[in-house]
Every structure is written in C-alpha cells, then in structure tokens.
Amino acid sequence: MKADDIITVKREISTAILVDGGFYRKRAYYFWGEKSPKERADELYDYCMKLLHNQHEQRYLYRVFYYDCPPVEKNVYNPLTKRSVDLAKSDEYKWTNEFFKELKSKRKVALRMGRLSENSLHYNIKPEAFKKLVNGQITISDLTDNDLKLNLEQKGVDMRVGIDISSLSFKKQVDQIILIAGDSDFVPAAKQSRREGIDFILAPMGATIKADLYEHIDGLINRPTKKTEKEVM
C-alpha cells in the first residue's frame, strides 16, 4: 500500500461552544464594524460553526451556549443635558432585543441570561475625553453625548458560565468545550473541567491573554480575521 492510499480517520468528539456575549460583541465590532441584529447573529453562528473545523478531529456540535444580559428598561440621568434618558426607547435597546430574538431562532443555540445592575447605572466620561479634559485641551462645556459612556455591570453571567462548564463536565455530556472569552474569570471552572477529562479550548478572538492562563487550558484558537494574519492552534 502506498503512503497516498492511507486513509486518516478523524477522532469523533462532541463539542460545546460557550460564548461570553459582551466580549464577543466588542470584538466583533472591532473586526467587522456595525451590523444589523440579524447580520450579527448570523455572523456569530457562522463563527461558531467554523470553530468546529479541525484537521485532526471530527467535531460535532452539542450546543452553543450564549451568555449575556437583557438591556435595561430604566431612566438614567444625563449630566450634560441635565435630563433623564429613557433607555427603553433607545436604539441600543431595540437592537439588542432583536439580536437576542435572532439568536433564539438558531438551531442548537441556548441563551443564558444574567442581568444588568441598575444600582450602578450611570454615565461616565470616556477615557480619551477625560484625558483631554485634565490636560486642558478641552473644557466641560466642550463635552458632548459622544464623550459619555453608560456604566453597565453584569450580574450572574460568570456564574452561569461556571455552572454550565461544571454540569457539562460532571455529566460527561461533551468531550470538548470551546470558550469564546478573553479574561481569567473562567480559570477555576476550566481547571475543574480538565480534571474531569474534558478537552478545554479558549478562543479569545485575537485578544491578548495572560501568559499563566496557558497552563489552565488545553488549546488556543484564534480564527483569522481581516485584522489577524493567521490562525493559531
């Protein structure tokens, strides 16, 4: 038998993809700009499906778990205009709800929703505008709404990620977990998952991760985009 005649059989494994929604949306905007809710949902689903492609393994999708928070329905005081803003009437509120609706219609996609803390809801001056302000380049009267950013704190999202990682691992529902995220909050759950024999892979979408995180994961995937030159695995 010639070497060219040898057929390589890929190992079949069940893969769950967990998506930190807030992180994904920021990275997606950085790489691919603004999109409609449907376009962003289609893009996310396509991105996840591409993560299943591997030359050494035959990955089968168990489910995509998407973690995020519903938009806030509350009035918040704008210090520049000195008026309250009804967030439920904002374009961001409408876009986010439509985006979640589109995701719910996708096959094998499950939404895990936390909540946004209303107690910490307020406007902050963006870092670049604050720097100009303290350097005397601009004054308070020069600030506009574009120089403000709404402070939003998620509650319950990290907990839901950790619970699902533990559940998938202890129940042996999957062979592999791919986590789309960029911070170290997942490390305890990842360590636990690996002790249960799960192949744990991080997909940080080109974001820089701390060097010591490599010891807590089994692999790293950075899918190529128009701002990254190659895929790392």
Side-chain angles (χ1 to χ4, degrees), residues 9 16-17 32 37 39 44 69 72 77 80 102 109-110 122 128 130 133 146 159 171 181 186 205 220 226:
V9 179
I17 301 177
W32 306 300
E39 289 172 336
L44 169 60
C69 297
V72 176
Y77 181 73
L80 289 183
E102 291 291 339
V109 174
H122 61 271
E128 55 270 25
F130 182 76
L133 194 62
N146 291 330
M159 177 188 69
K171 294 180 180 179
F186 67 89
M205 298 182 70
L220 182 71
K226 59 184 178 183

Side-chain angles (χ1 to χ4, degrees), residues 5-211:
D5 296 331
I6 297 175
I7 299 176
T8 302
V9 179
K10 292 184 178 182
R11 185 168 65 99
E12 297 183 356
I13 59 175
S14 176
T15 301
I17 301 177
L18 282 58
V19 185
D20 179 341
F23 172 79
Y24 177 86
R25 288 198 281 160
K26 287 180 182 178
R27 297 302 290 172
Y29 178 81
Y30 171 75
F31 285 122
W32 306 300
E34 292 185 4
K35 289 189 176 183
S36 69
K38 184 180 186 310
E39 289 172 336
R40 184 105 292 159
D42 290 344
E43 167 206 280
L44 169 60
Y45 192 77
D46 181 63
Y47 188 86
C48 290
M49 294 305 102
K50 287 179 179 178
L51 291 177
L52 298 174
H53 298 165
N54 184 273
Q55 61 179 333
H56 305 296
E57 301 169 339
Q58 183 65 48
R59 295 172 178 167
Y60 290 97
L61 179 65
Y62 174 75
R63 190 163 291 130
V64 174
F65 297 91
Y66 179 86
Y67 305 85
D68 215 324
C69 297
V72 176
E73 299 179 357
K74 188 178 179 180
N75 292 339
V76 59
Y77 181 73
N78 185 318
L80 289 183
T81 62
K82 296 181 173 56
R83 295 179 180 178
S84 291
V85 178
D86 186 354
L87 297 178
K89 295 181 180 179
S90 67
D91 292 336
E92 178 67 19
Y93 178 88
K94 297 174 183 177
W95 187 98
T96 303
N97 280 331
E98 187 62 30
F99 173 68
F100 292 156
K101 181 180 177 182
E102 291 291 339
L103 281 184
K104 290 176 183 177
S105 68
K106 302 293 185 185
R107 174 166 166 74
K108 289 193 174 184
V109 174
L111 271 62
R112 296 283 196 266
M113 307 303 286
R115 65 180 179 84
L116 293 173
S117 174
E118 296 187 358
N119 294 329
S120 61
L121 191 63
H122 61 271
Y123 282 103
N124 286 331
I125 299 177
K126 292 180 181 178
E128 55 270 25
F130 182 76
K131 184 177 181 180
K132 292 180 181 179
L133 194 62
V134 298
N135 289 337
Q137 296 175 268
I138 61 174
T139 64
I140 293 292
S141 60
D142 294 320
L143 294 174
T144 67
D145 285 346
N146 291 330
D147 296 316
L148 299 181
K149 182 180 180 180
L150 196 60
N151 181 69
L152 299 171
E153 293 184 9
Q154 293 185 337
K155 298 291 184 179
V157 172
D158 291 343
M159 177 188 69
R160 284 169 172 77
V161 174
I163 289 175
D164 281 343
I165 290 176
S166 296
S167 178
L168 291 167
S169 302
F170 284 124
K171 294 180 180 179
K172 305 297 183 183
Q173 292 173 308
V174 297
D175 304 302
Q176 182 182 77
I177 292 175
I178 299 178
L179 176 64
I180 300 177
D183 55 40
S184 59
D185 293 339
F186 67 89
V187 167
K191 292 171 67 174
Q192 183 185 61
S193 178
R194 295 178 75 204
R195 284 195 294 268
E196 294 299 315
I198 303 300
D199 184 32
F200 197 95
I201 298 175
L202 179 65
M205 298 182 70
T208 302
I209 65 171
K210 296 179 180 179

